[in-house]
Amino acid sequence: RRIVTLVCEESVPFNFMRDGDVVGIAADIIREAFSRSGYTVVFRQYPWARALHLSKSGMADGIFCLYRTAEREEQFLFSDQIGSDTQAFFVRRDSDISFSGDYRKIAGKSIGVINGYSYGARFDAAVKDGTLQRVEAVTSQEANIKKLLFGRIDMLVEGEYLAYYLLGKMGK
């Protein structure tokens, strides 16, 4: 059997560590698909920016749970989509911030993101063109949640599944 090394980050329920192995909806589908093609998959979990670097540099054979962007299409081959999650803004319970879809209305708010992430074409464009001016990148979702809870950022953007999982894990 040939071995292929794939990298990812923790993203419950798609891929996460259990008993020293990466499991989850995406990991299980990928493991089975590669197995049927004669490959053994070795999964490695890292912070997102590092996983992205390892896959771009060829130090890993691939990466999964990656948003498709024009830039990434030049660097990676994409399979058909095998899952999805809704990106959402999260604010403190005592916040009066609401989001109607118009990024200009939250332009002055500090927004926590993960270094190296794409949050979809509209959000990425609003960051690039300067509409969203106060975007603060960190290396982990837990760090973003803590910054939000301590009032160091106004809001964060994250996949709903993972955000609710982490909030529950943190007792919030």
PDB file of all heavy atoms in Angstrom, residues 64-91:
ATOM      1  N   PHE A  64      -7.025  19.054   3.826  1.00  0.00           N
ATOM      2  CA  PHE A  64      -8.464  18.931   3.624  1.00  0.00           C
ATOM      3  C   PHE A  64      -9.237  19.857   4.543  1.00  0.00           C
ATOM      4  O   PHE A  64      -8.700  20.410   5.481  1.00  0.00           O
ATOM      5  CB  PHE A  64      -8.944  17.476   3.725  1.00  0.00           C
ATOM      6  CG  PHE A  64      -8.767  16.816   5.057  1.00  0.00           C
ATOM      7  CD1 PHE A  64      -9.855  16.659   5.906  1.00  0.00           C
ATOM      8  CD2 PHE A  64      -7.539  16.316   5.447  1.00  0.00           C
ATOM      9  CE1 PHE A  64      -9.708  16.030   7.128  1.00  0.00           C
ATOM     10  CE2 PHE A  64      -7.384  15.688   6.656  1.00  0.00           C
ATOM     11  CZ  PHE A  64      -8.471  15.550   7.504  1.00  0.00           C
ATOM     12  N   CYS A  65     -10.525  20.012   4.196  1.00  0.00           N
ATOM     13  CA  CYS A  65     -11.416  21.010   4.804  1.00  0.00           C
ATOM     14  C   CYS A  65     -10.885  22.408   4.492  1.00  0.00           C
ATOM     15  O   CYS A  65     -10.720  23.258   5.360  1.00  0.00           O
ATOM     16  CB  CYS A  65     -11.607  20.770   6.295  1.00  0.00           C
ATOM     17  SG  CYS A  65     -12.605  19.308   6.621  1.00  0.00           S
ATOM     18  N   LEU A  66     -10.624  22.616   3.221  1.00  0.00           N
ATOM     19  CA  LEU A  66     -10.041  23.850   2.701  1.00  0.00           C
ATOM     20  C   LEU A  66     -11.078  24.550   1.834  1.00  0.00           C
ATOM     21  O   LEU A  66     -11.628  23.942   0.919  1.00  0.00           O
ATOM     22  CB  LEU A  66      -8.819  23.470   1.844  1.00  0.00           C
ATOM     23  CG  LEU A  66      -8.051  24.555   1.135  1.00  0.00           C
ATOM     24  CD1 LEU A  66      -7.257  25.376   2.139  1.00  0.00           C
ATOM     25  CD2 LEU A  66      -7.095  23.921   0.116  1.00  0.00           C
ATOM     26  N   TYR A  67     -11.360  25.820   2.146  1.00  0.00           N
ATOM     27  CA  TYR A  67     -12.273  26.584   1.294  1.00  0.00           C
ATOM     28  C   TYR A  67     -11.634  26.800  -0.060  1.00  0.00           C
ATOM     29  O   TYR A  67     -10.449  27.092  -0.166  1.00  0.00           O
ATOM     30  CB  TYR A  67     -12.614  27.944   1.904  1.00  0.00           C
ATOM     31  CG  TYR A  67     -13.762  27.900   2.865  1.00  0.00           C
ATOM     32  CD1 TYR A  67     -13.583  28.214   4.194  1.00  0.00           C
ATOM     33  CD2 TYR A  67     -15.044  27.550   2.435  1.00  0.00           C
ATOM     34  CE1 TYR A  67     -14.642  28.179   5.092  1.00  0.00           C
ATOM     35  CE2 TYR A  67     -16.100  27.510   3.315  1.00  0.00           C
ATOM     36  CZ  TYR A  67     -15.895  27.827   4.643  1.00  0.00           C
ATOM     37  OH  TYR A  67     -16.941  27.783   5.513  1.00  0.00           O
ATOM     38  N   ARG A  68     -12.445  26.673  -1.081  1.00  0.00           N
ATOM     39  CA  ARG A  68     -11.984  26.872  -2.457  1.00  0.00           C
ATOM     40  C   ARG A  68     -11.983  28.360  -2.773  1.00  0.00           C
ATOM     41  O   ARG A  68     -12.993  29.030  -2.625  1.00  0.00           O
ATOM     42  CB  ARG A  68     -12.924  26.120  -3.394  1.00  0.00           C
ATOM     43  CG  ARG A  68     -12.516  26.147  -4.821  1.00  0.00           C
ATOM     44  CD  ARG A  68     -13.520  25.363  -5.675  1.00  0.00           C
ATOM     45  NE  ARG A  68     -12.783  24.428  -6.483  1.00  0.00           N
ATOM     46  CZ  ARG A  68     -13.135  23.187  -6.731  1.00  0.00           C
ATOM     47  NH1 ARG A  68     -14.236  22.699  -6.239  1.00  0.00           N
ATOM     48  NH2 ARG A  68     -12.387  22.419  -7.481  1.00  0.00           N
ATOM     49  N   THR A  69     -10.819  28.869  -3.189  1.00  0.00           N
ATOM     50  CA  THR A  69     -10.692  30.249  -3.650  1.00  0.00           C
ATOM     51  C   THR A  69      -9.932  30.213  -4.971  1.00  0.00           C
ATOM     52  O   THR A  69      -9.282  29.216  -5.299  1.00  0.00           O
ATOM     53  CB  THR A  69      -9.912  31.129  -2.647  1.00  0.00           C
ATOM     54  OG1 THR A  69      -8.547  30.672  -2.599  1.00  0.00           O
ATOM     55  CG2 THR A  69     -10.527  31.099  -1.256  1.00  0.00           C
ATOM     56  N   ALA A  70      -9.981  31.306  -5.718  1.00  0.00           N
ATOM     57  CA  ALA A  70      -9.267  31.373  -6.996  1.00  0.00           C
ATOM     58  C   ALA A  70      -7.763  31.156  -6.775  1.00  0.00           C
ATOM     59  O   ALA A  70      -7.116  30.422  -7.528  1.00  0.00           O
ATOM     60  CB  ALA A  70      -9.522  32.713  -7.676  1.00  0.00           C
ATOM     61  N   GLU A  71      -7.211  31.783  -5.752  1.00  0.00           N
ATOM     62  CA  GLU A  71      -5.783  31.633  -5.451  1.00  0.00           C
ATOM     63  C   GLU A  71      -5.443  30.178  -5.126  1.00  0.00           C
ATOM     64  O   GLU A  71      -4.447  29.640  -5.616  1.00  0.00           O
ATOM     65  CB  GLU A  71      -5.405  32.523  -4.269  1.00  0.00           C
ATOM     66  CG  GLU A  71      -3.959  32.376  -3.833  1.00  0.00           C
ATOM     67  CD  GLU A  71      -3.644  33.159  -2.565  1.00  0.00           C
ATOM     68  OE1 GLU A  71      -4.416  34.051  -2.189  1.00  0.00           O
ATOM     69  OE2 GLU A  71      -2.604  32.850  -1.952  1.00  0.00           O
ATOM     70  N   ARG A  72      -6.272  29.549  -4.328  1.00  0.00           N
ATOM     71  CA  ARG A  72      -6.003  28.156  -3.945  1.00  0.00           C
ATOM     72  C   ARG A  72      -6.194  27.197  -5.108  1.00  0.00           C
ATOM     73  O   ARG A  72      -5.530  26.160  -5.162  1.00  0.00           O
ATOM     74  CB  ARG A  72      -6.886  27.764  -2.766  1.00  0.00           C
ATOM     75  CG  ARG A  72      -6.461  28.465  -1.488  1.00  0.00           C
ATOM     76  CD  ARG A  72      -7.405  28.178  -0.357  1.00  0.00           C
ATOM     77  NE  ARG A  72      -6.948  28.821   0.874  1.00  0.00           N
ATOM     78  CZ  ARG A  72      -7.655  28.864   1.980  1.00  0.00           C
ATOM     79  NH1 ARG A  72      -8.847  28.278   2.033  1.00  0.00           N
ATOM     80  NH2 ARG A  72      -7.173  29.460   3.056  1.00  0.00           N
ATOM     81  N   GLU A  73      -7.076  27.526  -6.047  1.00  0.00           N
ATOM     82  CA  GLU A  73      -7.250  26.669  -7.218  1.00  0.00           C
ATOM     83  C   GLU A  73      -5.986  26.618  -8.064  1.00  0.00           C
ATOM     84  O   GLU A  73      -5.758  25.647  -8.775  1.00  0.00           O
ATOM     85  CB  GLU A  73      -8.447  27.129  -8.056  1.00  0.00           C
ATOM     86  CG  GLU A  73      -9.765  26.739  -7.444  1.00  0.00           C
ATOM     87  CD  GLU A  73     -10.951  27.123  -8.297  1.00  0.00           C
ATOM     88  OE1 GLU A  73     -10.844  28.057  -9.124  1.00  0.00           O
ATOM     89  OE2 GLU A  73     -12.001  26.481  -8.129  1.00  0.00           O
ATOM     90  N   GLU A  74      -5.153  27.653  -7.974  1.00  0.00           N
ATOM     91  CA  GLU A  74      -3.883  27.657  -8.692  1.00  0.00           C
ATOM     92  C   GLU A  74      -2.849  26.779  -7.999  1.00  0.00           C
ATOM     93  O   GLU A  74      -1.875  26.363  -8.620  1.00  0.00           O
ATOM     94  CB  GLU A  74      -3.359  29.088  -8.803  1.00  0.00           C
ATOM     95  CG  GLU A  74      -4.212  29.986  -9.676  1.00  0.00           C
ATOM     96  CD  GLU A  74      -3.733  31.429  -9.676  1.00  0.00           C
ATOM     97  OE1 GLU A  74      -2.624  31.700  -9.183  1.00  0.00           O
ATOM     98  OE2 GLU A  74      -4.483  32.283 -10.187  1.00  0.00           O
ATOM     99  N   GLN A  75      -3.041  26.506  -6.713  1.00  0.00           N
ATOM    100  CA  GLN A  75      -2.056  25.767  -5.930  1.00  0.00           C
ATOM    101  C   GLN A  75      -2.445  24.325  -5.631  1.00  0.00           C
ATOM    102  O   GLN A  75      -1.586  23.497  -5.373  1.00  0.00           O
ATOM    103  CB  GLN A  75      -1.830  26.487  -4.598  1.00  0.00           C
ATOM    104  CG  GLN A  75      -1.342  27.903  -4.767  1.00  0.00           C
ATOM    105  CD  GLN A  75      -1.461  28.695  -3.473  1.00  0.00           C
ATOM    106  OE1 GLN A  75      -2.236  28.372  -2.588  1.00  0.00           O
ATOM    107  NE2 GLN A  75      -0.685  29.757  -3.373  1.00  0.00           N
ATOM    108  N   PHE A  76      -3.747  24.043  -5.621  1.00  0.00           N
ATOM    109  CA  PHE A  76      -4.228  22.730  -5.194  1.00  0.00           C
ATOM    110  C   PHE A  76      -5.217  22.146  -6.193  1.00  0.00           C
ATOM    111  O   PHE A  76      -5.872  22.881  -6.923  1.00  0.00           O
ATOM    112  CB  PHE A  76      -4.960  22.841  -3.837  1.00  0.00           C
ATOM    113  CG  PHE A  76      -4.114  23.361  -2.713  1.00  0.00           C
ATOM    114  CD1 PHE A  76      -4.250  24.670  -2.280  1.00  0.00           C
ATOM    115  CD2 PHE A  76      -3.187  22.557  -2.081  1.00  0.00           C
ATOM    116  CE1 PHE A  76      -3.492  25.168  -1.231  1.00  0.00           C
ATOM    117  CE2 PHE A  76      -2.409  23.044  -1.039  1.00  0.00           C
ATOM    118  CZ  PHE A  76      -2.566  24.348  -0.608  1.00  0.00           C
ATOM    119  N   LEU A  77      -5.341  20.826  -6.159  1.00  0.00           N
ATOM    120  CA  LEU A  77      -6.414  20.137  -6.862  1.00  0.00           C
ATOM    121  C   LEU A  77      -7.519  19.894  -5.845  1.00  0.00           C
ATOM    122  O   LEU A  77      -7.245  19.463  -4.726  1.00  0.00           O
ATOM    123  CB  LEU A  77      -5.932  18.798  -7.428  1.00  0.00           C
ATOM    124  CG  LEU A  77      -4.860  18.870  -8.508  1.00  0.00           C
ATOM    125  CD1 LEU A  77      -4.386  17.468  -8.876  1.00  0.00           C
ATOM    126  CD2 LEU A  77      -5.398  19.588  -9.736  1.00  0.00           C
ATOM    127  N   PHE A  78      -8.753  20.163  -6.225  1.00  0.00           N
ATOM    128  CA  PHE A  78      -9.877  20.002  -5.308  1.00  0.00           C
ATOM    129  C   PHE A  78     -10.737  18.814  -5.718  1.00  0.00           C
ATOM    130  O   PHE A  78     -10.997  18.606  -6.904  1.00  0.00           O
ATOM    131  CB  PHE A  78     -10.754  21.268  -5.309  1.00  0.00           C
ATOM    132  CG  PHE A  78     -10.176  22.401  -4.523  1.00  0.00           C
ATOM    133  CD1 PHE A  78      -9.197  23.222  -5.073  1.00  0.00           C
ATOM    134  CD2 PHE A  78     -10.593  22.643  -3.226  1.00  0.00           C
ATOM    135  CE1 PHE A  78      -8.657  24.270  -4.350  1.00  0.00           C
ATOM    136  CE2 PHE A  78     -10.061  23.682  -2.492  1.00  0.00           C
ATOM    137  CZ  PHE A  78      -9.089  24.505  -3.050  1.00  0.00           C
ATOM    138  N   SER A  79     -11.193  18.071  -4.734  1.00  0.00           N
ATOM    139  CA  SER A  79     -12.171  17.012  -4.977  1.00  0.00           C
ATOM    140  C   SER A  79     -13.557  17.645  -4.945  1.00  0.00           C
ATOM    141  O   SER A  79     -13.708  18.843  -4.696  1.00  0.00           O
ATOM    142  CB  SER A  79     -12.077  15.947  -3.879  1.00  0.00           C
ATOM    143  OG  SER A  79     -12.540  16.483  -2.634  1.00  0.00           O
ATOM    144  N   ASP A  80     -14.569  16.843  -5.158  1.00  0.00           N
ATOM    145  CA  ASP A  80     -15.927  17.319  -4.926  1.00  0.00           C
ATOM    146  C   ASP A  80     -16.073  17.601  -3.434  1.00  0.00           C
ATOM    147  O   ASP A  80     -15.405  16.978  -2.602  1.00  0.00           O
ATOM    148  CB  ASP A  80     -16.952  16.264  -5.351  1.00  0.00           C
ATOM    149  CG  ASP A  80     -16.986  16.066  -6.864  1.00  0.00           C
ATOM    150  OD1 ASP A  80     -16.547  16.979  -7.587  1.00  0.00           O
ATOM    151  OD2 ASP A  80     -17.441  14.995  -7.296  1.00  0.00           O
ATOM    152  N   GLN A  81     -16.957  18.502  -3.115  1.00  0.00           N
ATOM    153  CA  GLN A  81     -17.186  18.866  -1.717  1.00  0.00           C
ATOM    154  C   GLN A  81     -17.816  17.688  -0.975  1.00  0.00           C
ATOM    155  O   GLN A  81     -18.727  17.043  -1.496  1.00  0.00           O
ATOM    156  CB  GLN A  81     -18.117  20.075  -1.664  1.00  0.00           C
ATOM    157  CG  GLN A  81     -18.331  20.597  -0.270  1.00  0.00           C
ATOM    158  CD  GLN A  81     -19.117  21.902  -0.279  1.00  0.00           C
ATOM    159  OE1 GLN A  81     -18.942  22.718  -1.176  1.00  0.00           O
ATOM    160  NE2 GLN A  81     -19.960  22.071   0.693  1.00  0.00           N
ATOM    161  N   ILE A  82     -17.340  17.427   0.238  1.00  0.00           N
ATOM    162  CA  ILE A  82     -17.890  16.308   1.011  1.00  0.00           C
ATOM    163  C   ILE A  82     -18.586  16.759   2.290  1.00  0.00           C
ATOM    164  O   ILE A  82     -19.063  15.944   3.058  1.00  0.00           O
ATOM    165  CB  ILE A  82     -16.809  15.249   1.347  1.00  0.00           C
ATOM    166  CG1 ILE A  82     -15.653  15.857   2.137  1.00  0.00           C
ATOM    167  CG2 ILE A  82     -16.316  14.570   0.094  1.00  0.00           C
ATOM    168  CD1 ILE A  82     -14.658  14.835   2.633  1.00  0.00           C
ATOM    169  N   GLY A  83     -18.659  18.040   2.518  1.00  0.00           N
ATOM    170  CA  GLY A  83     -19.351  18.547   3.702  1.00  0.00           C
ATOM    171  C   GLY A  83     -19.387  20.057   3.659  1.00  0.00           C
ATOM    172  O   GLY A  83     -18.751  20.680   2.808  1.00  0.00           O
ATOM    173  N   SER A  84     -20.146  20.639   4.562  1.00  0.00           N
ATOM    174  CA  SER A  84     -20.177  22.092   4.629  1.00  0.00           C
ATOM    175  C   SER A  84     -20.514  22.542   6.041  1.00  0.00           C
ATOM    176  O   SER A  84     -21.051  21.772   6.842  1.00  0.00           O
ATOM    177  CB  SER A  84     -21.197  22.671   3.641  1.00  0.00           C
ATOM    178  OG  SER A  84     -22.502  22.301   4.027  1.00  0.00           O
ATOM    179  N   ASP A  85     -20.179  23.767   6.326  1.00  0.00           N
ATOM    180  CA  ASP A  85     -20.456  24.384   7.610  1.00  0.00           C
ATOM    181  C   ASP A  85     -20.816  25.832   7.325  1.00  0.00           C
ATOM    182  O   ASP A  85     -20.340  26.414   6.351  1.00  0.00           O
ATOM    183  CB  ASP A  85     -19.223  24.298   8.511  1.00  0.00           C
ATOM    184  CG  ASP A  85     -19.500  24.689   9.949  1.00  0.00           C
ATOM    185  OD1 ASP A  85     -20.667  24.916  10.313  1.00  0.00           O
ATOM    186  OD2 ASP A  85     -18.534  24.763  10.731  1.00  0.00           O
ATOM    187  N   THR A  86     -21.624  26.414   8.149  1.00  0.00           N
ATOM    188  CA  THR A  86     -22.015  27.801   7.990  1.00  0.00           C
ATOM    189  C   THR A  86     -21.085  28.686   8.797  1.00  0.00           C
ATOM    190  O   THR A  86     -20.920  28.475  10.002  1.00  0.00           O
ATOM    191  CB  THR A  86     -23.469  28.008   8.470  1.00  0.00           C
ATOM    192  OG1 THR A  86     -24.324  27.170   7.694  1.00  0.00           O
ATOM    193  CG2 THR A  86     -23.893  29.452   8.322  1.00  0.00           C
ATOM    194  N   GLN A  87     -20.452  29.638   8.122  1.00  0.00           N
ATOM    195  CA  GLN A  87     -19.644  30.627   8.820  1.00  0.00           C
ATOM    196  C   GLN A  87     -20.584  31.641   9.442  1.00  0.00           C
ATOM    197  O   GLN A  87     -21.531  32.088   8.791  1.00  0.00           O
ATOM    198  CB  GLN A  87     -18.681  31.328   7.859  1.00  0.00           C
ATOM    199  CG  GLN A  87     -17.667  30.404   7.216  1.00  0.00           C
ATOM    200  CD  GLN A  87     -16.688  29.842   8.227  1.00  0.00           C
ATOM    201  OE1 GLN A  87     -16.204  30.534   9.106  1.00  0.00           O
ATOM    202  NE2 GLN A  87     -16.394  28.563   8.111  1.00  0.00           N
ATOM    203  N   ALA A  88     -20.334  31.989  10.696  1.00  0.00           N
ATOM    204  CA  ALA A  88     -21.223  32.917  11.394  1.00  0.00           C
ATOM    205  C   ALA A  88     -20.398  33.873  12.238  1.00  0.00           C
ATOM    206  O   ALA A  88     -19.274  33.554  12.645  1.00  0.00           O
ATOM    207  CB  ALA A  88     -22.197  32.145  12.279  1.00  0.00           C
ATOM    208  N   PHE A  89     -20.973  35.036  12.496  1.00  0.00           N
ATOM    209  CA  PHE A  89     -20.371  35.975  13.435  1.00  0.00           C
ATOM    210  C   PHE A  89     -20.866  35.642  14.833  1.00  0.00           C
ATOM    211  O   PHE A  89     -22.046  35.339  15.028  1.00  0.00           O
ATOM    212  CB  PHE A  89     -20.759  37.420  13.102  1.00  0.00           C
ATOM    213  CG  PHE A  89     -20.055  37.969  11.906  1.00  0.00           C
ATOM    214  CD1 PHE A  89     -20.734  38.226  10.747  1.00  0.00           C
ATOM    215  CD2 PHE A  89     -18.689  38.238  11.954  1.00  0.00           C
ATOM    216  CE1 PHE A  89     -20.091  38.740   9.641  1.00  0.00           C
ATOM    217  CE2 PHE A  89     -18.029  38.748  10.855  1.00  0.00           C
ATOM    218  CZ  PHE A  89     -18.729  38.996   9.694  1.00  0.00           C
ATOM    219  N   PHE A  90     -19.962  35.716  15.790  1.00  0.00           N
ATOM    220  CA  PHE A  90     -20.296  35.510  17.194  1.00  0.00           C
ATOM    221  C   PHE A  90     -19.922  36.765  17.952  1.00  0.00           C
ATOM    222  O   PHE A  90     -18.864  37.349  17.712  1.00  0.00           O
ATOM    223  CB  PHE A  90     -19.543  34.298  17.763  1.00  0.00           C
ATOM    224  CG  PHE A  90     -20.025  32.995  17.195  1.00  0.00           C
ATOM    225  CD1 PHE A  90     -19.546  32.543  15.971  1.00  0.00           C
ATOM    226  CD2 PHE A  90     -20.974  32.238  17.868  1.00  0.00           C
ATOM    227  CE1 PHE A  90     -19.999  31.346  15.424  1.00  0.00           C
ATOM    228  CE2 PHE A  90     -21.435  31.044  17.329  1.00  0.00           C
ATOM    229  CZ  PHE A  90     -20.943  30.591  16.114  1.00  0.00           C
ATOM    230  N   VAL A  91     -20.801  37.185  18.847  1.00  0.00           N
ATOM    231  CA  VAL A  91     -20.570  38.358  19.681  1.00  0.00           C
ATOM    232  C   VAL A  91     -20.874  37.967  21.129  1.00  0.00           C
ATOM    233  O   VAL A  91     -21.492  36.930  21.392  1.00  0.00           O
ATOM    234  CB  VAL A  91     -21.455  39.562  19.259  1.00  0.00           C
ATOM    235  CG1 VAL A  91     -21.131  39.991  17.838  1.00  0.00           C
ATOM    236  CG2 VAL A  91     -22.934  39.239  19.395  1.00  0.00           C
TER     237      VAL A  91
END
